[in-house]
Amino acid sequence: MFGLFKSDPTKKLRKQYDAKLEKAMLAQRRGDIKTYSMLTAEAEELWAEIEKLKASH
């Protein structure tokens, strides 16, 4: 019954993931490939963490 009020731990990570991808896209448009690749790598790490949390449920 009280599971309804339990927060989803992946929700916060998903927001961070989406924000990193958006920043990476903007960096790519500016031609800053180094920043683009760094932000994409960070986003991939967040995605791996999200997948790990989903698998544990």
Side-chain angles (χ1 to χ4, degrees), residues 21-54:
L21 283 182
E22 186 173 350
K23 286 181 183 180
M25 177 195 63
L26 293 174
Q28 185 183 29
R29 285 184 179 176
R30 288 191 310 264
D32 189 357
I33 301 303
K34 184 177 180 180
T35 303
Y36 165 75
S37 61
M38 183 184 66
L39 289 170
T40 303
E42 290 174 8
E44 287 176 4
E45 290 174 10
L46 284 172
W47 186 254
E49 196 171 330
I50 290 169
E51 290 296 316
K52 186 171 64 172
L53 285 173
K54 282 184 179 181

